[in-house]
Amino acid sequence: TACLALVATLLVPAVASAQSGGPDGYGYLYDVTTYEFVDITTTGVALGLGDEGEEEVALPFAFGFYGVDYNWLTIGANGGLVFSDGTGTEPVGSYNQSLPTTGYGAPDVAVLWDDQDDGSGDVYYLDDSAANDRFIVSWVDTPQYYSPGEGSYQVHLNGDGTIEFHYADVVFDSSSYDYGAGATVGIQDLTGGTASPDGYLEIGYNSVFLADMDAYVFYTADADGDGFADALLGGDDCDDTNPLIYPGAAETCNDGIDDDCDGADDVDDFDADTFVNLDCGGDDCD
């Protein structure tokens, strides 16, 4: 029994799963997160995408990505998404490349960018904003074009601007494509135009780096885009949800808000010595 167990272990390929990375030039990072692959095959909209197919859909909320809010999304059969403007865009191409790339068919969000086929599966989306403040796109039982097996994976676009990848099945029954061996996974600011050199973050490309039940989240250290990273992520922005609050910002006195992140809401005369403090336009230095 021990020998059989050893042989079985040796036959399972080693999967080198990435753990975390970044930040990129904009401030995006990625990390592992709790696996949550949601079955939306009965609750979502089936797109019926054929080989190289695409569909542009309206998002239920403005999604912030690299400092730009988008209201439309193009979903590609080949495991990727492109943010769009409602007038259509190029399809997600079948020839995956390492990020960053602005080549034909390059996506903004590469969930499992590879040459997928429609096969017996389909691509679905679900507006889950009312219940969970998210929009889900799921590729279910879609085979890699040159391999017999089928994979399932999905992306969650969350209302807070984070992006989650969830991988239910990344085994396509081919060593050339299993576990991400033929795919690109990551994000880049293709639509916004800064994909190179700063606006991209890649988890893996054409190598064994994924496993079933892997899950990753992309988030930004500067969620409000004011140029200062969140204090909770090692920066000095005391409120990374408001672009008007950051170190050195103009302080509005007596508003109950620490606008300049100096540790206190400035008031005209905090020490009641009848002199107005410097931050409020006076000459009291303490």
Side-chain angles (χ1 to χ4, degrees):
T1 303
C3 291
L4 290 176
L6 176 60
V7 171
T9 300
L10 293 175
L11 290 177
V12 176
V15 178
S17 294
Q19 296 297 313
S20 61
D24 66 2
Y26 181 82
Y28 271 105
L29 305 98
Y30 72 83
D31 207 341
V32 295
T33 191
T34 303
Y35 174 73
E36 185 190 7
F37 185 91
V38 182
D39 183 0
I40 63 171
T41 55
T42 58
T43 56
V45 177
L47 294 176
L49 298 182
D51 189 33
E52 317 297 346
E54 64 164 342
E55 183 76 24
E56 187 177 45
V57 300
L59 291 169
F61 46 74
F63 186 78
F65 187 68
Y66 284 100
V68 178
D69 288 339
Y70 295 98
N71 294 290
W72 292 85
L73 183 71
T74 297
I75 302 169
N78 292 314
L81 310 173
V82 179
F83 290 105
S84 49
D85 59 6
T87 61
T89 186
E90 293 181 354
V92 176
S94 61
Y95 179 67
N96 73 298
Q97 304 148 54
S98 179
L99 302 181
T101 178
T102 58
Y104 174 79
D108 287 301
V109 179
V111 190
L112 194 70
W113 182 24
D114 197 3
D115 192 1
Q116 311 287 332
D117 198 2
D118 52 343
S120 59
D122 205 346
V123 184
Y124 303 80
Y125 72 85
L126 174 69
D127 176 1
D128 194 27
S129 58
N132 295 295
D133 194 27
R134 64 187 177 185
F135 185 83
I136 300 175
V137 181
S138 191
W139 291 259
V140 180
D141 295 333
T142 56
Q144 206 283 341
Y145 191 84
Y146 296 104
S147 63
E150 299 173 337
S152 295
Y153 49 94
Q154 68 184 201
V155 57
H156 302 175
L157 302 182
N158 298 312
D160 63 1
T162 58
I163 304 172
E164 298 177 22
F165 294 172
H166 298 271
Y167 298 94
D169 181 5
V170 290
V171 179
F172 295 91
D173 298 334
S174 168
S175 60
S176 297
Y177 303 105
D178 293 345
Y179 307 110
T184 303
V185 173
I187 62 173
Q188 64 171 1
D189 187 20
L190 175 72
T191 300
T194 61
S196 179
D198 295 325
Y200 76 96
L201 192 58
E202 184 176 80
I203 293 179
Y205 167 69
N206 283 4
S207 60
V208 175
F209 64 95
L210 285 178
D212 290 353
M213 300 182 68
D214 270 358
Y216 291 96
V217 59
F218 290 86
Y219 59 97
T220 175
D222 181 19
D224 58 11
D226 60 9
F228 294 87
D230 192 332
L232 297 176
L233 299 173
D236 50 11
D237 191 338
C238 58
D239 184 352
D240 205 32
T241 66
N242 189 333
L244 300 180
I245 298 176
Y246 55 86
E251 184 68 55
T252 301
C253 295
N254 302 307
D255 65 351
I257 299 173
D258 181 15
D259 302 283
D260 60 2
C261 294
D262 68 352
D265 167 37
D266 290 322
V267 295
D268 288 341
D269 184 13
F270 182 79
D271 58 6
D273 62 1
T274 73
F275 291 92
V276 176
N277 71 51
L278 292 173
D279 287 334
C280 293
D283 53 8
D284 192 338
C285 62
D286 185 359

